[in-house]
């Protein structure tokens, strides 16, 4: 009897073609089972993982064919369960795992709470809902930023590993913008061409270029370019100022979470009187405001290569006149475009043109004030001033920024 038992064990080891010995969770193993019972396979996986896998007598006799090469012990367990439509139920806080069949009339479900440290539990709920087995459920608790998952125990462990991978600190991008107002010479019918400036190159990747004209329909062509991080932005701006009458309107800096929008506003409010007729037939007057100025919406996204895809939507609005009721007429134009920048590079955008009309009155002293005759001794000159926004947006991944000591 002892001799036959020894022969069976030797045959089992040879048939499995593995050496049964403990191994770490991240080590790689290769397994080859050909017609081996599930009970014997679970003994091998118990040794490899440090978990105690058990099952009932009927399942223990099931023949297993499974060939795996260079996988972790946990991956081997998951492959076995998925291949043969099995799952496990953990016995409370022990290392004992009972293997059961999903085809059984009654499926055992368990629940577990996962606390999220960085990611939003509500957002993860949407992502992980597709990973549940039939009959499983996932919900979030906003107060504790936690996920409550109910499913088969083995799938809960898989979901737990996904949560661990997804619940990581969100990267941040430092956005620095330099906004210039550039007077356009009368010879520049379509505005300036920023790509003529030294150090500015045409971008290799620009997406979704779209311009929306103002009410007057006046705008120039969209100009875009890239400044490599090795070059000085200030030098480029000085070169621009040497060719044109340009001044810096603002130089904001802000930290933006990866894949989140941020807004830069340089806004003035124009007051006006709004008159509303009441039910009694009277007029109710209130002071309202309309905004004019520059608004820039940026949304950075860091890809796996460390490059930054940045969506930029600059918008310019300005006063062009007033209606018969003295309500300000606002002209608005905007650009929508996307760049792919290397860390530290600068996107340059031009093309938002603004026209300002002004009247200047001149008259000869005394003579210009004489009724009727004074008309011949005064004049009114109309002047149109055109200017264009040049926007420099530098994007840097926060972890790559050098901090001066």
């Amino acid at each position: 009897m002892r001799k036959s038992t020894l022969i069976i064990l030797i045959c089992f080891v040879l048939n499995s073609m593995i050496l049964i010995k403990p191994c770490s969770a991240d080590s790689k193993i290769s397994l080859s089972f050909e017609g081996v019972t599930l009970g014997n396979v679970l003994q091998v996986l118990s040794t490899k993982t440090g978990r105690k896998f058990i099952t009932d007598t009927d399942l223990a006799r099931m023949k297993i064919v499974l060939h795996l090469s260079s996988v972790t012990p946990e991956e081997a367990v998951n492959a076995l369960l998925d291949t043969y439509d099995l799952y496990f139920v953990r016995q409370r806080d022990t290392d004992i795992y009972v293997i059961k069949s999903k085809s059984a009339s009654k499926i055992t479900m368990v629940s577990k709470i996962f606390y999220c440290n960085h990611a939003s539990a509500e957002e993860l709920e949407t992502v992980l809902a597709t990973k549940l087995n039939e009959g499983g459920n996932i919900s979030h608790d906003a107060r504790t930023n936690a996920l409550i998952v109910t499913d088969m125990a083995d799938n809960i462990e898989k979901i737990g590993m996904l949560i661990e991978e997804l619940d990581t600190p969100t990267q941040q991008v430092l956005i620095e913008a330099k906004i210039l107002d550039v007077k356009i010479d009368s010879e520049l019918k379509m505005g300036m061409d920023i790509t003529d400036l030294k150090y500015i190159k045409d971008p290799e990747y620009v997406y979704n270029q779209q311009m929306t004209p103002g009410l007057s329909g006046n705008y120039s062509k969209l100009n875009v370019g890239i400044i490599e991080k090795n070059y000085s932005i200030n030098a480029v701006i000085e070169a621009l100022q040497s060719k044109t009458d340009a001044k810096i309107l603002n130089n904001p800096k802000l930290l933006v979470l990866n894949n989140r929008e941020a807004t830069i506003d340089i806004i003035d409010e124009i007051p006006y009187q709004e008159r509303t007729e009441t039910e009694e037939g009277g007029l109710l007057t209130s002071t309202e405001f309309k905004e004019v100025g520059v608004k820039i919406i940026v949304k950075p996204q860091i890809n796996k290569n460390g490059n930054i895809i940045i969506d930029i939507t600059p918008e310019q609005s300005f006063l062009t006149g007033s209606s018969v009721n003295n309500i300000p007429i606002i002209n608005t134009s905007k650009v929508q475009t996307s760049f792919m920048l290397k860390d530290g590079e600068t996107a340059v955008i031009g093309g938002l043109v603004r026209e300002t009309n002004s009247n200047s009155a001149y008259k000869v002293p005394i003579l210009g004030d004489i009724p009727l005759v004074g008309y011949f001794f005064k004049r009114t000159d109309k002047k149109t001033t055109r200017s264009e926004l040049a926007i420099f947006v530098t994007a840097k991944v926060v972890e790559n920024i050098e901090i001066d000591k």
Side-chain angles (χ1 to χ4, degrees), residues 354-385:
R354 179 177 75 255
E355 289 188 356
T356 305
N357 298 315
S358 60
N359 296 324
S360 300
Y362 301 92
K363 65 181 179 179
V364 177
I366 302 176
L367 295 177
D369 295 325
I370 300 175
L372 300 178
V373 178
Y375 173 81
F376 299 99
F377 295 95
K378 60 184 177 182
R379 76 177 194 274
T380 300
D381 292 342
K382 294 183 177 180
K383 183 179 180 182
T384 299
T385 303

PDB file of all heavy atoms in Angstrom, residues 354-385:
ATOM      1  N   ARG A 354      -8.833  92.578 -32.975  1.00  0.00           N
ATOM      2  CA  ARG A 354      -9.818  93.503 -32.424  1.00  0.00           C
ATOM      3  C   ARG A 354      -9.719  94.836 -33.165  1.00  0.00           C
ATOM      4  O   ARG A 354      -8.624  95.352 -33.400  1.00  0.00           O
ATOM      5  CB  ARG A 354      -9.560  93.726 -30.932  1.00  0.00           C
ATOM      6  CG  ARG A 354     -10.539  94.698 -30.283  1.00  0.00           C
ATOM      7  CD  ARG A 354     -10.296  94.841 -28.785  1.00  0.00           C
ATOM      8  NE  ARG A 354      -9.118  95.637 -28.494  1.00  0.00           N
ATOM      9  CZ  ARG A 354      -7.949  95.148 -28.078  1.00  0.00           C
ATOM     10  NH1 ARG A 354      -7.795  93.844 -27.942  1.00  0.00           N
ATOM     11  NH2 ARG A 354      -6.928  95.941 -27.819  1.00  0.00           N
ATOM     12  N   GLU A 355     -10.866  95.373 -33.560  1.00  0.00           N
ATOM     13  CA  GLU A 355     -10.911  96.686 -34.207  1.00  0.00           C
ATOM     14  C   GLU A 355     -11.612  97.682 -33.287  1.00  0.00           C
ATOM     15  O   GLU A 355     -12.691  97.397 -32.762  1.00  0.00           O
ATOM     16  CB  GLU A 355     -11.661  96.621 -35.543  1.00  0.00           C
ATOM     17  CG  GLU A 355     -10.907  95.878 -36.633  1.00  0.00           C
ATOM     18  CD  GLU A 355     -11.595  95.995 -37.984  1.00  0.00           C
ATOM     19  OE1 GLU A 355     -12.691  96.599 -38.024  1.00  0.00           O
ATOM     20  OE2 GLU A 355     -11.048  95.482 -38.970  1.00  0.00           O
ATOM     21  N   THR A 356     -10.995  98.837 -33.117  1.00  0.00           N
ATOM     22  CA  THR A 356     -11.559  99.888 -32.281  1.00  0.00           C
ATOM     23  C   THR A 356     -11.713 101.155 -33.109  1.00  0.00           C
ATOM     24  O   THR A 356     -10.731 101.629 -33.719  1.00  0.00           O
ATOM     25  CB  THR A 356     -10.663 100.172 -31.067  1.00  0.00           C
ATOM     26  OG1 THR A 356     -10.447  98.952 -30.347  1.00  0.00           O
ATOM     27  CG2 THR A 356     -11.302 101.195 -30.143  1.00  0.00           C
ATOM     28  N   ASN A 357     -12.916 101.701 -33.158  1.00  0.00           N
ATOM     29  CA  ASN A 357     -13.178 102.941 -33.899  1.00  0.00           C
ATOM     30  C   ASN A 357     -13.287 104.107 -32.926  1.00  0.00           C
ATOM     31  O   ASN A 357     -13.931 104.001 -31.880  1.00  0.00           O
ATOM     32  CB  ASN A 357     -14.477 102.828 -34.704  1.00  0.00           C
ATOM     33  CG  ASN A 357     -14.404 101.736 -35.751  1.00  0.00           C
ATOM     34  OD1 ASN A 357     -13.413 101.622 -36.465  1.00  0.00           O
ATOM     35  ND2 ASN A 357     -15.462 100.941 -35.870  1.00  0.00           N
ATOM     36  N   SER A 358     -12.658 105.203 -33.280  1.00  0.00           N
ATOM     37  CA  SER A 358     -12.720 106.402 -32.428  1.00  0.00           C
ATOM     38  C   SER A 358     -12.877 107.645 -33.297  1.00  0.00           C
ATOM     39  O   SER A 358     -12.438 107.678 -34.448  1.00  0.00           O
ATOM     40  CB  SER A 358     -11.449 106.504 -31.569  1.00  0.00           C
ATOM     41  OG  SER A 358     -10.298 106.594 -32.388  1.00  0.00           O
ATOM     42  N   ASN A 359     -13.523 108.654 -32.754  1.00  0.00           N
ATOM     43  CA  ASN A 359     -13.711 109.930 -33.450  1.00  0.00           C
ATOM     44  C   ASN A 359     -12.961 111.036 -32.712  1.00  0.00           C
ATOM     45  O   ASN A 359     -13.055 111.146 -31.493  1.00  0.00           O
ATOM     46  CB  ASN A 359     -15.196 110.295 -33.526  1.00  0.00           C
ATOM     47  CG  ASN A 359     -15.985 109.286 -34.351  1.00  0.00           C
ATOM     48  OD1 ASN A 359     -15.483 108.764 -35.338  1.00  0.00           O
ATOM     49  ND2 ASN A 359     -17.233 109.041 -33.956  1.00  0.00           N
ATOM     50  N   SER A 360     -12.237 111.847 -33.471  1.00  0.00           N
ATOM     51  CA  SER A 360     -11.507 112.981 -32.888  1.00  0.00           C
ATOM     52  C   SER A 360     -12.005 114.271 -33.548  1.00  0.00           C
ATOM     53  O   SER A 360     -12.042 114.362 -34.786  1.00  0.00           O
ATOM     54  CB  SER A 360      -9.997 112.823 -33.110  1.00  0.00           C
ATOM     55  OG  SER A 360      -9.536 111.635 -32.494  1.00  0.00           O
ATOM     56  N   ALA A 361     -12.383 115.254 -32.749  1.00  0.00           N
ATOM     57  CA  ALA A 361     -12.914 116.527 -33.263  1.00  0.00           C
ATOM     58  C   ALA A 361     -11.836 117.609 -33.186  1.00  0.00           C
ATOM     59  O   ALA A 361     -11.139 117.733 -32.177  1.00  0.00           O
ATOM     60  CB  ALA A 361     -14.147 116.946 -32.473  1.00  0.00           C
ATOM     61  N   TYR A 362     -11.708 118.379 -34.262  1.00  0.00           N
ATOM     62  CA  TYR A 362     -10.760 119.497 -34.323  1.00  0.00           C
ATOM     63  C   TYR A 362     -11.521 120.746 -34.806  1.00  0.00           C
ATOM     64  O   TYR A 362     -12.380 120.663 -35.696  1.00  0.00           O
ATOM     65  CB  TYR A 362      -9.626 119.201 -35.304  1.00  0.00           C
ATOM     66  CG  TYR A 362      -8.833 117.968 -34.951  1.00  0.00           C
ATOM     67  CD1 TYR A 362      -9.192 116.719 -35.488  1.00  0.00           C
ATOM     68  CD2 TYR A 362      -7.739 118.041 -34.104  1.00  0.00           C
ATOM     69  CE1 TYR A 362      -8.477 115.576 -35.168  1.00  0.00           C
ATOM     70  CE2 TYR A 362      -7.016 116.892 -33.791  1.00  0.00           C
ATOM     71  CZ  TYR A 362      -7.391 115.680 -34.321  1.00  0.00           C
ATOM     72  OH  TYR A 362      -6.679 114.549 -34.002  1.00  0.00           O
ATOM     73  N   LYS A 363     -11.185 121.913 -34.216  1.00  0.00           N
ATOM     74  CA  LYS A 363     -11.832 123.157 -34.664  1.00  0.00           C
ATOM     75  C   LYS A 363     -10.894 124.344 -34.424  1.00  0.00           C
ATOM     76  O   LYS A 363     -10.008 124.306 -33.571  1.00  0.00           O
ATOM     77  CB  LYS A 363     -13.145 123.372 -33.926  1.00  0.00           C
ATOM     78  CG  LYS A 363     -13.010 123.597 -32.440  1.00  0.00           C
ATOM     79  CD  LYS A 363     -14.364 123.787 -31.785  1.00  0.00           C
ATOM     80  CE  LYS A 363     -14.228 123.996 -30.274  1.00  0.00           C
ATOM     81  NZ  LYS A 363     -15.559 124.210 -29.634  1.00  0.00           N
ATOM     82  N   VAL A 364     -11.157 125.397 -35.205  1.00  0.00           N
ATOM     83  CA  VAL A 364     -10.393 126.635 -35.035  1.00  0.00           C
ATOM     84  C   VAL A 364     -11.003 127.393 -33.851  1.00  0.00           C
ATOM     85  O   VAL A 364     -12.232 127.582 -33.805  1.00  0.00           O
ATOM     86  CB  VAL A 364     -10.460 127.507 -36.313  1.00  0.00           C
ATOM     87  CG1 VAL A 364      -9.721 128.831 -36.089  1.00  0.00           C
ATOM     88  CG2 VAL A 364      -9.884 126.757 -37.492  1.00  0.00           C
ATOM     89  N   PRO A 365     -10.152 127.791 -32.903  1.00  0.00           N
ATOM     90  CA  PRO A 365     -10.697 128.501 -31.733  1.00  0.00           C
ATOM     91  C   PRO A 365     -11.558 129.684 -32.143  1.00  0.00           C
ATOM     92  O   PRO A 365     -11.274 130.394 -33.104  1.00  0.00           O
ATOM     93  CB  PRO A 365      -9.437 128.948 -30.980  1.00  0.00           C
ATOM     94  CG  PRO A 365      -8.397 127.956 -31.398  1.00  0.00           C
ATOM     95  CD  PRO A 365      -8.699 127.628 -32.829  1.00  0.00           C
ATOM     96  N   ILE A 366     -12.627 129.915 -31.445  1.00  0.00           N
ATOM     97  CA  ILE A 366     -13.605 131.000 -31.622  1.00  0.00           C
ATOM     98  C   ILE A 366     -14.397 130.819 -32.906  1.00  0.00           C
ATOM     99  O   ILE A 366     -15.629 130.742 -32.899  1.00  0.00           O
ATOM    100  CB  ILE A 366     -12.931 132.406 -31.596  1.00  0.00           C
ATOM    101  CG1 ILE A 366     -12.180 132.588 -30.258  1.00  0.00           C
ATOM    102  CG2 ILE A 366     -13.972 133.500 -31.824  1.00  0.00           C
ATOM    103  CD1 ILE A 366     -11.421 133.895 -30.180  1.00  0.00           C
ATOM    104  N   LEU A 367     -13.713 130.738 -34.056  1.00  0.00           N
ATOM    105  CA  LEU A 367     -14.423 130.616 -35.335  1.00  0.00           C
ATOM    106  C   LEU A 367     -15.224 129.323 -35.418  1.00  0.00           C
ATOM    107  O   LEU A 367     -16.306 129.273 -35.998  1.00  0.00           O
ATOM    108  CB  LEU A 367     -13.437 130.681 -36.506  1.00  0.00           C
ATOM    109  CG  LEU A 367     -12.697 132.006 -36.679  1.00  0.00           C
ATOM    110  CD1 LEU A 367     -11.702 131.913 -37.832  1.00  0.00           C
ATOM    111  CD2 LEU A 367     -13.683 133.151 -36.930  1.00  0.00           C
ATOM    112  N   GLY A 368     -14.670 128.286 -34.806  1.00  0.00           N
ATOM    113  CA  GLY A 368     -15.365 127.003 -34.868  1.00  0.00           C
ATOM    114  C   GLY A 368     -16.623 126.978 -34.042  1.00  0.00           C
ATOM    115  O   GLY A 368     -17.467 126.077 -34.206  1.00  0.00           O
ATOM    116  N   ASP A 369     -16.836 127.993 -33.158  1.00  0.00           N
ATOM    117  CA  ASP A 369     -18.018 128.030 -32.299  1.00  0.00           C
ATOM    118  C   ASP A 369     -19.126 128.911 -32.854  1.00  0.00           C
ATOM    119  O   ASP A 369     -20.211 129.004 -32.272  1.00  0.00           O
ATOM    120  CB  ASP A 369     -17.635 128.534 -30.909  1.00  0.00           C
ATOM    121  CG  ASP A 369     -16.696 127.564 -30.213  1.00  0.00           C
ATOM    122  OD1 ASP A 369     -16.850 126.333 -30.421  1.00  0.00           O
ATOM    123  OD2 ASP A 369     -15.812 128.019 -29.464  1.00  0.00           O
ATOM    124  N   ILE A 370     -18.873 129.590 -33.991  1.00  0.00           N
ATOM    125  CA  ILE A 370     -19.886 130.483 -34.573  1.00  0.00           C
ATOM    126  C   ILE A 370     -20.975 129.655 -35.229  1.00  0.00           C
ATOM    127  O   ILE A 370     -20.676 128.753 -36.016  1.00  0.00           O
ATOM    128  CB  ILE A 370     -19.241 131.437 -35.619  1.00  0.00           C
ATOM    129  CG1 ILE A 370     -18.161 132.298 -34.946  1.00  0.00           C
ATOM    130  CG2 ILE A 370     -20.305 132.311 -36.282  1.00  0.00           C
ATOM    131  CD1 ILE A 370     -17.395 133.176 -35.922  1.00  0.00           C
ATOM    132  N   PRO A 371     -22.242 129.916 -34.915  1.00  0.00           N
ATOM    133  CA  PRO A 371     -23.329 129.147 -35.528  1.00  0.00           C
ATOM    134  C   PRO A 371     -23.283 129.221 -37.051  1.00  0.00           C
ATOM    135  O   PRO A 371     -22.956 130.261 -37.631  1.00  0.00           O
ATOM    136  CB  PRO A 371     -24.591 129.826 -34.977  1.00  0.00           C
ATOM    137  CG  PRO A 371     -24.149 130.469 -33.697  1.00  0.00           C
ATOM    138  CD  PRO A 371     -22.735 130.910 -33.945  1.00  0.00           C
ATOM    139  N   LEU A 372     -23.571 128.115 -37.689  1.00  0.00           N
ATOM    140  CA  LEU A 372     -23.594 127.951 -39.138  1.00  0.00           C
ATOM    141  C   LEU A 372     -22.202 128.118 -39.752  1.00  0.00           C
ATOM    142  O   LEU A 372     -21.671 127.208 -40.396  1.00  0.00           O
ATOM    143  CB  LEU A 372     -24.577 128.939 -39.797  1.00  0.00           C
ATOM    144  CG  LEU A 372     -26.043 128.812 -39.356  1.00  0.00           C
ATOM    145  CD1 LEU A 372     -26.901 129.862 -40.043  1.00  0.00           C
ATOM    146  CD2 LEU A 372     -26.572 127.424 -39.670  1.00  0.00           C
ATOM    147  N   VAL A 373     -21.581 129.252 -39.588  1.00  0.00           N
ATOM    148  CA  VAL A 373     -20.265 129.505 -40.178  1.00  0.00           C
ATOM    149  C   VAL A 373     -19.204 128.609 -39.553  1.00  0.00           C
ATOM    150  O   VAL A 373     -18.251 128.173 -40.210  1.00  0.00           O
ATOM    151  CB  VAL A 373     -19.858 130.990 -40.002  1.00  0.00           C
ATOM    152  CG1 VAL A 373     -18.447 131.251 -40.586  1.00  0.00           C
ATOM    153  CG2 VAL A 373     -20.871 131.889 -40.671  1.00  0.00           C
ATOM    154  N   GLY A 374     -19.365 128.256 -38.272  1.00  0.00           N
ATOM    155  CA  GLY A 374     -18.366 127.453 -37.586  1.00  0.00           C
ATOM    156  C   GLY A 374     -18.182 126.071 -38.190  1.00  0.00           C
ATOM    157  O   GLY A 374     -17.140 125.439 -37.999  1.00  0.00           O
ATOM    158  N   TYR A 375     -19.168 125.616 -38.980  1.00  0.00           N
ATOM    159  CA  TYR A 375     -19.064 124.304 -39.622  1.00  0.00           C
ATOM    160  C   TYR A 375     -17.833 124.212 -40.520  1.00  0.00           C
ATOM    161  O   TYR A 375     -17.218 123.152 -40.666  1.00  0.00           O
ATOM    162  CB  TYR A 375     -20.338 124.041 -40.428  1.00  0.00           C
ATOM    163  CG  TYR A 375     -20.282 122.787 -41.269  1.00  0.00           C
ATOM    164  CD1 TYR A 375     -20.525 121.538 -40.711  1.00  0.00           C
ATOM    165  CD2 TYR A 375     -19.986 122.868 -42.617  1.00  0.00           C
ATOM    166  CE1 TYR A 375     -20.463 120.386 -41.486  1.00  0.00           C
ATOM    167  CE2 TYR A 375     -19.920 121.727 -43.404  1.00  0.00           C
ATOM    168  CZ  TYR A 375     -20.160 120.480 -42.839  1.00  0.00           C
ATOM    169  OH  TYR A 375     -20.093 119.358 -43.616  1.00  0.00           O
ATOM    170  N   PHE A 376     -17.486 125.342 -41.129  1.00  0.00           N
ATOM    171  CA  PHE A 376     -16.354 125.357 -42.066  1.00  0.00           C
ATOM    172  C   PHE A 376     -15.007 125.447 -41.348  1.00  0.00           C
ATOM    173  O   PHE A 376     -13.963 125.385 -41.990  1.00  0.00           O
ATOM    174  CB  PHE A 376     -16.503 126.537 -43.035  1.00  0.00           C
ATOM    175  CG  PHE A 376     -17.751 126.460 -43.865  1.00  0.00           C
ATOM    176  CD1 PHE A 376     -18.884 127.193 -43.515  1.00  0.00           C
ATOM    177  CD2 PHE A 376     -17.805 125.642 -44.990  1.00  0.00           C
ATOM    178  CE1 PHE A 376     -20.038 127.123 -44.275  1.00  0.00           C
ATOM    179  CE2 PHE A 376     -18.970 125.568 -45.754  1.00  0.00           C
ATOM    180  CZ  PHE A 376     -20.092 126.292 -45.393  1.00  0.00           C
ATOM    181  N   PHE A 377     -15.034 125.624 -40.034  1.00  0.00           N
ATOM    182  CA  PHE A 377     -13.783 125.779 -39.292  1.00  0.00           C
ATOM    183  C   PHE A 377     -13.529 124.631 -38.302  1.00  0.00           C
ATOM    184  O   PHE A 377     -12.769 124.773 -37.359  1.00  0.00           O
ATOM    185  CB  PHE A 377     -13.800 127.121 -38.530  1.00  0.00           C
ATOM    186  CG  PHE A 377     -13.824 128.305 -39.427  1.00  0.00           C
ATOM    187  CD1 PHE A 377     -15.036 128.915 -39.754  1.00  0.00           C
ATOM    188  CD2 PHE A 377     -12.646 128.827 -39.975  1.00  0.00           C
ATOM    189  CE1 PHE A 377     -15.076 130.007 -40.598  1.00  0.00           C
ATOM    190  CE2 PHE A 377     -12.687 129.934 -40.816  1.00  0.00           C
ATOM    191  CZ  PHE A 377     -13.900 130.529 -41.143  1.00  0.00           C
ATOM    192  N   LYS A 378     -14.199 123.501 -38.545  1.00  0.00           N
ATOM    193  CA  LYS A 378     -13.963 122.321 -37.695  1.00  0.00           C
ATOM    194  C   LYS A 378     -14.150 121.047 -38.514  1.00  0.00           C
ATOM    195  O   LYS A 378     -14.800 121.070 -39.570  1.00  0.00           O
ATOM    196  CB  LYS A 378     -14.889 122.309 -36.478  1.00  0.00           C
ATOM    197  CG  LYS A 378     -16.372 122.280 -36.803  1.00  0.00           C
ATOM    198  CD  LYS A 378     -17.185 122.358 -35.519  1.00  0.00           C
ATOM    199  CE  LYS A 378     -18.700 122.404 -35.830  1.00  0.00           C
ATOM    200  NZ  LYS A 378     -19.499 122.518 -34.585  1.00  0.00           N
ATOM    201  N   ARG A 379     -13.563 119.986 -38.002  1.00  0.00           N
ATOM    202  CA  ARG A 379     -13.665 118.707 -38.695  1.00  0.00           C
ATOM    203  C   ARG A 379     -13.636 117.558 -37.667  1.00  0.00           C
ATOM    204  O   ARG A 379     -13.180 117.733 -36.541  1.00  0.00           O
ATOM    205  CB  ARG A 379     -12.531 118.518 -39.702  1.00  0.00           C
ATOM    206  CG  ARG A 379     -11.190 118.173 -39.093  1.00  0.00           C
ATOM    207  CD  ARG A 379     -10.136 117.919 -40.173  1.00  0.00           C
ATOM    208  NE  ARG A 379      -8.949 117.288 -39.627  1.00  0.00           N
ATOM    209  CZ  ARG A 379      -7.945 117.971 -39.084  1.00  0.00           C
ATOM    210  NH1 ARG A 379      -7.997 119.294 -39.006  1.00  0.00           N
ATOM    211  NH2 ARG A 379      -6.889 117.318 -38.608  1.00  0.00           N
ATOM    212  N   THR A 380     -14.111 116.405 -38.091  1.00  0.00           N
ATOM    213  CA  THR A 380     -14.100 115.203 -37.259  1.00  0.00           C
ATOM    214  C   THR A 380     -13.375 114.094 -38.004  1.00  0.00           C
ATOM    215  O   THR A 380     -13.727 113.784 -39.157  1.00  0.00           O
ATOM    216  CB  THR A 380     -15.523 114.741 -36.924  1.00  0.00           C
ATOM    217  OG1 THR A 380     -16.200 115.789 -36.216  1.00  0.00           O
ATOM    218  CG2 THR A 380     -15.495 113.479 -36.061  1.00  0.00           C
ATOM    219  N   ASP A 381     -12.340 113.555 -37.378  1.00  0.00           N
ATOM    220  CA  ASP A 381     -11.569 112.467 -37.986  1.00  0.00           C
ATOM    221  C   ASP A 381     -11.958 111.135 -37.359  1.00  0.00           C
ATOM    222  O   ASP A 381     -12.044 111.014 -36.132  1.00  0.00           O
ATOM    223  CB  ASP A 381     -10.063 112.678 -37.780  1.00  0.00           C
ATOM    224  CG  ASP A 381      -9.553 113.875 -38.582  1.00  0.00           C
ATOM    225  OD1 ASP A 381     -10.260 114.281 -39.520  1.00  0.00           O
ATOM    226  OD2 ASP A 381      -8.475 114.390 -38.237  1.00  0.00           O
ATOM    227  N   LYS A 382     -12.211 110.173 -38.227  1.00  0.00           N
ATOM    228  CA  LYS A 382     -12.504 108.815 -37.762  1.00  0.00           C
ATOM    229  C   LYS A 382     -11.240 107.971 -37.863  1.00  0.00           C
ATOM    230  O   LYS A 382     -10.562 107.989 -38.887  1.00  0.00           O
ATOM    231  CB  LYS A 382     -13.622 108.188 -38.589  1.00  0.00           C
ATOM    232  CG  LYS A 382     -14.970 108.867 -38.417  1.00  0.00           C
ATOM    233  CD  LYS A 382     -16.048 108.138 -39.215  1.00  0.00           C
ATOM    234  CE  LYS A 382     -17.404 108.783 -38.978  1.00  0.00           C
ATOM    235  NZ  LYS A 382     -18.487 108.078 -39.744  1.00  0.00           N
ATOM    236  N   LYS A 383     -10.943 107.256 -36.799  1.00  0.00           N
ATOM    237  CA  LYS A 383      -9.729 106.440 -36.760  1.00  0.00           C
ATOM    238  C   LYS A 383     -10.067 105.009 -36.343  1.00  0.00           C
ATOM    239  O   LYS A 383     -10.805 104.787 -35.387  1.00  0.00           O
ATOM    240  CB  LYS A 383      -8.712 107.032 -35.774  1.00  0.00           C
ATOM    241  CG  LYS A 383      -7.389 106.277 -35.733  1.00  0.00           C
ATOM    242  CD  LYS A 383      -6.437 106.930 -34.746  1.00  0.00           C
ATOM    243  CE  LYS A 383      -5.109 106.193 -34.692  1.00  0.00           C
ATOM    244  NZ  LYS A 383      -4.188 106.803 -33.701  1.00  0.00           N
ATOM    245  N   THR A 384      -9.524 104.056 -37.096  1.00  0.00           N
ATOM    246  CA  THR A 384      -9.708 102.638 -36.771  1.00  0.00           C
ATOM    247  C   THR A 384      -8.372 102.044 -36.331  1.00  0.00           C
ATOM    248  O   THR A 384      -7.387 102.117 -37.068  1.00  0.00           O
ATOM    249  CB  THR A 384     -10.240 101.852 -37.985  1.00  0.00           C
ATOM    250  OG1 THR A 384     -11.506 102.390 -38.367  1.00  0.00           O
ATOM    251  CG2 THR A 384     -10.409 100.377 -37.640  1.00  0.00           C
ATOM    252  N   THR A 385      -8.349 101.492 -35.126  1.00  0.00           N
ATOM    253  CA  THR A 385      -7.147 100.857 -34.584  1.00  0.00           C
ATOM    254  C   THR A 385      -7.364  99.351 -34.547  1.00  0.00           C
ATOM    255  O   THR A 385      -8.380  98.878 -34.038  1.00  0.00           O
ATOM    256  CB  THR A 385      -6.846 101.371 -33.164  1.00  0.00           C
ATOM    257  OG1 THR A 385      -6.715 102.786 -33.193  1.00  0.00           O
ATOM    258  CG2 THR A 385      -5.550 100.752 -32.635  1.00  0.00           C
TER     259      THR A 385
END
